[in-house]
Amino acid sequence: MGFEPRIVGFLCNWCSYTGADLAGTSRIKYQPNVSVIRVMCSARIDPTFVLKALATGADGVIVCGCHPGDCHYSEGNYKTMRRFPLLKKMLKDFGVEEDRVRLEWVSASEGQRFSEVINEMTDKVRALGPSRIRISLDADKVER
């Protein structure tokens, strides 16, 4: 049996979560590796949420929000869009592979797109293999 990645998905309530729901009600299949955490807006996702997910065993993290210009809170996704490159830079400095963390825009009517994004993310993380972050942290605990 091969490696099956654990991916944490932070989905905004208004678009992406509804897009995931549409995928489900439309019986569009996607890989079951994502554990969804519903947030009210993608701007609510503090970078420490992503770090904590990776530190506690996630092999990848995906953040999904409304398309730019469609945010329920007017500009929440613009804030996410500005924060994300900083998060990616910080993760790169920590040695985290770039493809382990991803930002996507998925609207409520894009169930098929949600499925494609999740399948693509799962395949990329599967190709990367297990995250070394948790292994490194566990080894660090043993040494102390």
Side-chain angles (χ1 to χ4, degrees):
M1 186 166 170
F3 165 67
E4 282 301 322
R6 289 181 285 177
I7 299 171
V8 173
F10 292 102
L11 309 181
C12 91
N13 179 61
W14 305 103
C15 287
S16 303
Y17 188 84
T18 311
D21 192 39
L22 177 63
T25 57
S26 302
R27 298 182 186 262
I28 298 170
K29 294 187 185 230
Y30 57 90
Q31 299 184 43
N33 302 66
V34 176
S35 298
V36 171
I37 298 175
R38 186 180 186 173
V39 294
M40 291 309 288
C41 180
S42 61
R44 175 64 185 95
I45 300 159
D46 189 283
T48 59
F49 295 178
V50 174
L51 294 173
K52 186 169 183 175
L54 292 169
T56 56
D59 298 302
V61 176
I62 187 164
V63 175
C64 294
C66 305
H67 285 277
D70 289 342
C71 179
H72 187 77
Y73 302 105
S74 298
E75 54 189 50
N77 50 12
Y78 290 115
K79 290 178 182 174
T80 304
M81 201 182 313
R82 287 192 299 267
R83 282 187 203 141
F84 208 74
L86 299 174
L87 173 64
K88 295 279 275 193
K89 183 177 181 331
M90 183 174 62
L91 291 172
K92 184 177 178 184
D93 290 345
F94 289 160
V96 176
E97 297 94 340
E98 188 171 327
D99 287 340
R100 289 199 187 276
V101 179
R102 183 172 175 176
L103 173 64
E104 282 292 334
W105 311 122
V106 177
S107 77
S109 63
E110 294 179 319
Q112 182 64 44
R113 176 168 160 64
F114 179 80
S115 169
E116 292 166 4
V117 164
I118 295 303
N119 288 337
E120 187 178 314
M121 174 78 181
T122 303
D123 290 343
K124 279 187 177 180
V125 174
R126 185 178 291 126
L128 289 171
S131 171
R132 295 172 299 180
I133 297 169
R134 185 167 183 199
I135 295 167
S136 297
L137 289 173
D138 288 344
D140 188 47
K141 285 179 188 172
V142 171
E143 291 176 8
R144 291 183 187 183

